[in-house]
Amino acid sequence: MHWHALNDERVRESLEAEYRRWRRCFVTLFRVLADERDAGPAGGRDVDPLALGEAVAAAVDGLAEVDSGPVLRTLIRTLAADARA
């Protein structure tokens, strides 16, 4: 059934639009974090918000299929650790 739905152009376009929206949220998040790092002593110019946001969006999308709790906690701790430094 899923295969047939993906062969319908309307369904495919709708899924692509939704996934673009999903990725855009992560890109925006990492843009904000990079801007905050720019203001700090270390600077955030080494961060590519587009590449990082899209990579994390894809990873999180894949985590929906597994027990993602430990992975997300580790990611959040890692991101928060830099903010406290």
Side-chain angles (χ1 to χ4, degrees), residues 39-59:
R45 292 171 230 24
D46 59 335
V47 175
D48 179 357
L50 179 62
L52 189 55
E54 289 190 350
V56 171

Side-chain angles (χ1 to χ4, degrees), residues 20-76:
R20 274 194 307 277
R21 186 191 67 77
W22 167 255
R23 288 190 325 253
R24 192 171 45 245
C25 294
F26 285 93
V27 171
T28 300
L29 169 65
F30 285 102
R31 223 174 245 133
V32 168
L33 292 173
D35 290 346
E36 288 178 0
R37 288 183 64 165
D38 277 345
R45 292 171 230 24
D46 59 335
V47 175
D48 179 357
L50 179 62
L52 189 55
E54 289 190 350
V56 171
V60 170
D61 189 45
L63 287 173
E65 299 297 319
V66 297
D67 178 16
S68 58
V71 175
L72 291 175
R73 279 192 296 278
T74 301
L75 175 64
I76 291 168

